[in-house]
Structure formats: C-alpha cells, structure tokens
Amino acid sequence: QVQLVESGGGLVQTGDSLRLSCAASARTFSSYAMGWFRQAPGKEREFVAAINWSGDNIGYADSVKGRFTISRDNAKNTVYLQMNSLKPEDTANYICAARTYSSNIYYYTRGYEYNYWGQGTQITVSS
C-alpha cells in the first residue's frame, strides 16, 4: 500500500506562485512514475503534469506548459509541482498519483494508468 500526501495549497492572487509537494510512503518510490492531476468543482479530473522514475522524461498539459514545472527528489520520496503565473482557471483540487508498475522510459497522462492517489490539496486563485 502506498500513501500519498499532498501539501502546499492555499489561496493566492493572479500571477502568484506556489510549490506543491507530494510525499510518498514507499521505499521503492524511485521506481514509480508520478503525476499531478486537478479537479475543479463540477468538472472532470484533468491531467496536469507527469514524470518518469529518473525525472528525465516529463510531460505537461498544454494549459500549464511554460508555467508549471514537475520535479522529484527520490531521496526524499517526494514529487513537486512548481506553479508560476497562476490564473483563476488554475483553481482546483490538485491530486498526486503514483504508478507503481512502470518502465522508466515513460510518463503517463491518463488517470486509469495510475494505481495510487492522494487526497489532494486545494488551490484557489483570485482575480
């Protein structure tokens, strides 16, 4: 069983920055592909960013490309999401996900490709 705990959310203004963290309770974290998704009220969950084991293969949703950066520290069992130039449309619950069976070649962008999920951390961006 893998537990994922997100932190770093909050209320910010348009143009502000935040860094989210997702800590995993797993000794084999370095072999997990990780992803960030978000879900706004009344909307479906959507992909935000993903990263492979070693952190050298990364993907982003078009809506966040150039503003958000995903990274990981395998020594700390943690994946990060640096969010810059935040917009009101970024308001959502941000959820961390882990895929514990994966090749280091790939990152994954679809929710069904992940087998563990955190509870999320809320980001609210005011205009």
Side-chain angles (χ1 to χ4, degrees):
Q1 190 76 7
V2 176
Q3 291 187 327
L4 302 172
V5 179
E6 302 93 337
S7 60
L11 173 63
V12 297
Q13 295 185 333
T14 297
D16 283 353
S17 297
L18 275 178
R19 189 176 82 155
L20 305 184
S21 300
C22 171
S25 64
R27 289 181 292 178
T28 52
F29 174 80
S30 61
S31 65
Y32 298 167
M34 300 296 296
W36 286 98
F37 291 76
R38 67 187 182 186
Q39 188 165 20
K43 295 187 177 181
E44 292 188 356
R45 184 178 61 199
E46 64 174 355
F47 167 73
V48 175
I51 190 168
N52 69 332
W53 298 359
S54 52
D56 57 2
N57 197 8
I58 290 172
Y60 297 98
D62 287 343
S63 58
V64 307
K65 202 171 292 183
R67 299 188 298 122
F68 290 12
T69 302
I70 188 171
S71 62
R72 65 190 297 160
D73 185 339
N74 287 340
K76 295 182 178 180
N77 284 9
T78 301
V79 63
Y80 303 98
L81 186 67
Q82 176 68 42
M83 304 185 295
N84 299 329
S85 303
L86 283 162
K87 305 175 181 180
E89 51 264 44
D90 294 320
T91 294
N93 188 41
Y94 282 72
I95 308 161
C96 174
R99 177 180 167 117
T100 58
Y101 54 102
S102 59
S103 163
N104 191 38
I105 299 173
Y106 304 114
Y107 61 83
Y108 301 89
T109 63
R110 298 177 179 84
Y112 67 81
E113 295 177 308
Y114 291 86
N115 55 328
Y116 288 100
W117 295 84
Q119 293 298 310
T121 183
Q122 178 67 33
I123 306 295
T124 302
V125 185
S126 64
S127 57

